[in-house]
Structures are given as structure tokens and as C-alpha cells.
Amino acid sequence: MRFSLQVGMCEPGHYLPMARAAEAAGFHGLAIPDSICYPQEASSRYPYNKDGSRAFLESVPFIESLVAVSAMAAVTETIRLATFVYKLAVRQAPVVAKQVQGIQALSGNRFDFGIGISPWEEDFAVCGVPWEKRGKRFDEQIELLRGLESGEFFGFQGEVLQMPANKMNPVTGVPTPLLVGGHADVALRRAARVGDGWMCAGADMQQLQAYIGRINQLREEYGTIDRPFRIFTTGQDAFTEAGIEKLESIGVTDVVIGFRNVYEMEADKSLDEKIGMLDWYAGEFIRG
């Protein structure tokens, strides 16, 4: 099992000290959430909490996730960094590809790119991107990311996106792991078909086991079952040895640990408290 510490939705001054502390404590990775903004009016329902409300996010600070990844990569040496997950579908894929290759070049290829669509129509409206055909757009964006990281001339003519042939420099020559987020069957299919892994935003053990079983079934169907594949989930079951063993037994490879329930509007802790908690966890379950 690999362990990542979630860093985000907190005071900006906490990011870099927590990154350094997590690396020193023995965590394998850092997981950074993503959010564009908080709309004044919204009709979309949030799919990952009980009541569908996003009120818990209204006053929560978010550093743009690729900015946060870059900053934390600069103050660490070995720990990996992952977005959990980046709302790719509302961004411009060629610009994102340039950012990702820059992160990889400067960090020594330590970035795992967790990507998703965004469940909120308002994100698309704010960014001036059509809500319609968002799934097709996302699929084509993945093709663009893969093509542009080759370092060769690459053009694209898709149903939604078009791009004249161009090449980017620098590229590292190492494919960036693409970890697909989402719980709908179409997201599981996408992860199984083109992803290097899947990221789960939250599920109980029974749900998680069902999702993983479905992904493995789809990987058999798509002929991708023999490729390396990582499965990330949040760590509500990873605070006991028995829970960690159960997660491993159903196929989880990476667990994301946090010490605050933002969904329930729990107040943020001090930096010293958080560093103390991550040190405690690493001593109990990682180094031990």
C-alpha cells in the first residue's frame, strides 16, 4: 500500500510546510484537490456528499492545483504529487499539457495527473466552455495530452476539438500517469480503457469493492488488464491495520489520508496540529 497525504482546502501558508513534513515522515505522495471558484447561484448537485450541497466549500481557500503542485515539488525531492482530481474538461488541453510537461521537467517526473470532468455545470459557465458533449470533449483532451507529450509534431481533428500540428519542448519522454476520477459507469469505462488508474472520491468498503470489480471486468473487456493500474481512495478505512489489509485485498494501491472532514464543515486545524497528526499516522502505519 502507498500512502498519500491530502493537502489543500487550507490556509495557503500550510501547503509547503506540510509537503516537507509529509516527505520527512515517509508518505509516498501528496494529493491536491482542485476547484475553480464558488458560484453565487448554482443548480448542480454535488455527487460526493449526502445532501448534494456545496455549501461546505463557500469559504474554503483553494490554491489552483497545478500551482500548488509546482510549489510543493520545488520544496521536496522524492515524494510524488497527484491532483485529486483536476477538472480538465473546463480547461484548454494544450495549455494544460504545457503546464504538466513543465512540472515533470522541474520535478523529475514526480507528477501523477488525476483528471476528471467536473460535476458542476457552473464551472463550465464560468470558464466559457460548453456543458454539452463534455464527456466527448474530455476523451479528446486525453488524446491531446498523450499526443503532445510525445515531443513530435501532433495535430488533432476531433468531433469537439481541433488543433493544428505542433510540438512542445521540453518534454521529458516519460508518459505522465493519467488517473481518471468519477463514479459513474462511463467514468469507470474511461479509466479502464485509457487510464493508468482510477481515483475514488469516497465510498464505503462495499461500494468500493463493487467499483473495483466493475473496473477489472471492463479492463478484461478492453484488453487492458495486463497494464499497470493504480487505484486511489480516501482513507476512512485506513486508520487500522485490518482496514488497510482489507483495502489491499480488494485491489486498492494508494490511500489518501486526511485529518479533517470538510464535508461536515469541520474547522481547519493549526499547522502544528496537522504536522503532529501526519507524524503520528506515519509512525503507526507507514514507518512501523
Side-chain angles (χ1 to χ4, degrees), residues 125-267:
V126 165
C127 294
V129 175
W131 173 252
E132 295 75 19
K133 296 188 177 181
R134 57 196 177 279
K136 184 64 177 176
R137 174 187 177 85
F138 185 46
D139 287 335
E140 293 182 2
Q141 287 178 310
I142 291 173
E143 292 187 60
L144 284 172
L145 293 179
R146 290 296 192 205
L148 288 169
E149 72 179 3
S150 69
E152 304 296 331
F153 282 102
F154 176 77
F156 188 80
Q157 293 294 318
E159 179 183 334
V160 179
L161 301 177
Q162 295 79 42
M163 182 184 70
N166 75 99
K167 65 179 178 179
M168 289 191 171
N169 188 23
V171 296
T172 68
V174 178
T176 296
L178 298 181
L179 311 168
V180 178
H183 295 178
D185 196 66
V186 65
L188 305 184
R189 285 183 173 276
R190 184 177 289 115
R193 188 178 71 251
V194 300
D196 299 299
W198 173 66
M199 287 183 148
C200 177
D204 63 32
M205 191 71 75
Q206 184 176 1
Q207 292 170 323
L208 184 59
Q209 189 166 5
Y211 287 138
I212 293 172
R214 177 60 173 156
I215 288 173
N216 288 335
Q217 177 188 36
L218 292 167
R219 291 177 68 211
E220 291 278 6
E221 179 181 320
Y222 291 123
T224 59
I225 193 68
D226 293 328
R227 296 193 327 216
F229 195 84
R230 295 170 68 184
I231 294 177
F232 283 69
T233 189
T234 49
Q236 61 265 31
D237 294 300
F239 283 82
T240 66
E241 293 289 353
I244 293 170
E245 289 175 5
K246 178 61 176 178
L247 289 170
E248 286 184 313
S249 74
I250 66 173
V252 173
T253 62
D254 295 77
V255 63
V256 178
I257 301 300
F259 301 105
R260 173 189 176 201
N261 190 339
V262 180
Y263 293 128
E264 299 297 330
M265 298 186 181
E266 183 181 333

Side-chain angles (χ1 to χ4, degrees), residues 51-70:
D51 63 4
S53 167
R54 71 176 87 185
F56 68 94
L57 288 176
E58 180 175 357
S59 300
V60 173
F62 272 90
I63 300 295
E64 199 282 331
S65 58
L66 294 187
V67 171
V69 165
S70 300

Side-chain angles (χ1 to χ4, degrees), residues 40-106:
Q40 184 173 5
E41 296 181 4
S43 58
S44 302
R45 188 179 189 278
Y46 188 60
Y48 303 126
N49 61 359
K50 293 179 181 179
D51 63 4
S53 167
R54 71 176 87 185
F56 68 94
L57 288 176
E58 180 175 357
S59 300
V60 173
F62 272 90
I63 300 295
E64 199 282 331
S65 58
L66 294 187
V67 171
V69 165
S70 300
M72 290 190 284
V75 300
T76 56
E77 296 181 359
T78 59
I79 198 167
R80 297 196 66 81
L81 305 105
T83 44
F84 190 61
V85 299
Y86 185 80
K87 296 174 181 176
L88 178 62
V90 300
R91 268 91 165 198
Q92 290 181 301
V95 175
V96 173
K98 185 68 173 177
Q99 293 171 307
V100 168
Q101 287 304 305
I103 290 170
Q104 298 291 40
L106 293 171

Side-chain angles (χ1 to χ4, degrees), residues 5 7 13-27 30 71-72 74-77 79 271 275 278-279:
L5 178 72
V7 180
H14 290 190
Y15 280 75
L16 304 191
M18 288 183 67
R20 289 189 290 258
E23 182 174 70
F27 278 83
L30 299 166
M72 290 190 284
V75 300
T76 56
E77 296 181 359
I79 198 167
L271 178 60
I275 290 177
L278 74 87
D279 279 334

